[in-house]
Structure formats: structure tokens, C-alpha cells
Amino acid sequence: MSIQQNSPAARQRRQLLQAGAAGLAVLAAPAIVRAQGATAKLRIGFWPVAAGLPFFAAVDKGYFKEAGLDVEPLKFAGAQQVMEGMLAGRCDGSANGTGSANLAIGEIAQPGLFKIFCTNPSNAKYVLDEFIVAKDSPVKSVAELAGKKVASGPGIQNVTLCKTMLERAGAKGATVSELPIGQHVAALVAGQVDACYTLEPTGTVGRMNGTTRVVEAGVVAKYILGDPMAPWHGGAASLTSDFIKKNPEVAKKYIAAYARGVELVRSKPDEARQFMKGYTAIEGKLTAEVPLASYMLYNEFKPSDVAYFQKFYDLFTEKGIFEKKVAVDGLLYKA
């Protein structure tokens, strides 16, 4: 029995065929086209230090959502774990504050793993790194840590830097042990260690609660790079090369939204500071006291910045931590 062309059954059949054809066309389209109507998902690893502020602000201010992105912040105990998450495919990138040397170890393990699009250079002015001691400690300089017990943040980047800086400051015989930065203040108060090489906001927490004080800040720039005002690109925001390759337009939107977070920190630091809450150990009135790192986007690098970044990496090659030289220029994101 034939179906008349204008009968309800015929019209329904045509609608089903058209819907099926449309579905096949969508399935045949590239993945990025199919995803345009959906929110793109990114999993970004972070370490709870103050340098991650642009990322924290971009999440909480809704910059990523406005760009049509669903960004999931993944908190890790150390920068090394962020890198391992990227290697394992559990993270699509890192937030600022993730150790640049830790990332480079991932690059050696899997060449072409990631691209850096923003760093957080610090020095004596833009403070991130410092040696701290108990408030009543007699230690007045890094050199006076000779023969002392010193804790450093976890991971090969922190430990290598700590040992090298103690050596170069003349603190002979100091012993270095790893300790999560969240435990640094308590360890000093308990007398378990004599000093800590730490990262903000730890120094501010101890100073504000009256238990610790800073011996010297901006120490990597001084002892590793040779100039207290040199930019130490110790932390970096990145995306995996695999994610960029598969989602080039999404990657551009993410970086643009992240740059809005950087601009907020630069232009309205007091407003931005509040977004440390929930991501770091800093809350309430303490947020106004934390020194902020500087930030440098991939398109703001000058040759001198690349040179200082390379000098930092070359230390790890010299110490045998990197089994081969890692060229910074090849790791920078190119739009």
C-alpha cells in the first residue's frame, strides 16, 4: 500500500529522513564544529601559592564562563604532581605558580608536551620566593644558615634551588629536607627546622600571626640569576600541546580569558587579591598583605627575558637534574 505524498504518514517519514541526514552531517563534521554549541571543558592543575592569582580570579570572576569554557581547577600538593597529571592526560594545562623546572622535566620525558603562555617572574620587588625563620631566631642572613636544618617546598625545583642558594650564600653544611609549604610555619614554630625556603603566601601568614619573619626575599633572582631585580620565571601557566592541536580555537579563547585575569591583577590588585581565598592559605584581611608576583604573557617576552629564563633552566642541566639542555624559546606558545 503506497503512502500519499501529502498524507500525515508521508510528512512524518520525510521529517525522520531529514533529521537523520542532519544527524549524519553533524557526525561527519569536525569535532570542534560539533562542540560549538556545547561548553568546552578544560582541566587545569594548580598549586596553592599566591602566584596562581590570575587563574583564581579568572575562574571566580567568570571570565572563562563568559568565553564559553568550563574550567575545572584541580588542586595538587606540589608542582611536580601537576606536571605528572599533564603527562598522564589528567590535566590539560597548568596555572601560574606551577614550577617551570618541573614542567621542563615533563618536556624531557615527553618532548613537545606543553606550551607556556604566561609566566610569573619574581624578584626583590615582585616577591614570591624567600627564606624565613622563627620570629625570635638569631639568624639575620642566608649565610648564617650554615650547619642549620632548612626545609624547602616539595619537588626537585624547590630542593635544587634551595641547596644551590645556600651554597652560593656561603651557608656551608646546611641540610635540606622537603616539606609541604603549608607546614613551613608550624615546623618553624615547633623548632623542627631552623629556616625554610618557601613561597608566598607562607611568609605573610607567619608574619601576620607573629610567628615567623623573612630573612631575605627575591632570593632566586639574587643567588641564581645574579641580579636581585632579574626576572625569575619560576612558575608558568601552560596548555598541553595535544589540547592545543585538537582544540586550537578553544585554546585561544582560554588564553584570552586567562589574560583578562592577568590584567585584573595588574590594574586592580586590591580587587584581585580577594580571589586567593579558597585556593591558598590566605583569607580575610591577610589578602591585603601578600606581595604579588609580576606576570608576563607569551607575546610580551623580550630577548633578555628569554635569556634569564634560559639561565634558570641551564642551572638544572648543570646540576644533572635535566639530562639534556632544554631550550626555553621552543616552549613558548606561538599564537
Side-chain angles (χ1 to χ4, degrees), residues 126-169:
Y126 297 100
V127 175
L128 173 65
D129 51 306
E130 58 207 356
F131 279 98
I132 64 173
V133 295
K135 184 181 179 181
D136 297 327
S137 168
V139 173
K140 297 291 191 295
S141 69
V142 178
E144 291 175 40
L145 294 175
K148 304 290 187 182
K149 293 183 292 184
V150 182
S152 100
I156 195 67
Q157 172 168 315
N158 289 304
V159 173
T160 302
L161 288 173
C162 183
K163 288 180 177 179
T164 303
M165 290 187 292
L166 290 168
E167 289 170 8
R168 293 183 179 181

Side-chain angles (χ1 to χ4, degrees), residues 2-19:
S2 62
I3 299 174
Q4 294 182 6
Q5 283 190 337
N6 292 320
S7 69
R11 287 197 298 272
Q12 185 180 34
R13 183 172 181 273
R14 284 198 299 272
Q15 289 169 354
L16 287 170
L17 288 171
Q18 288 167 356

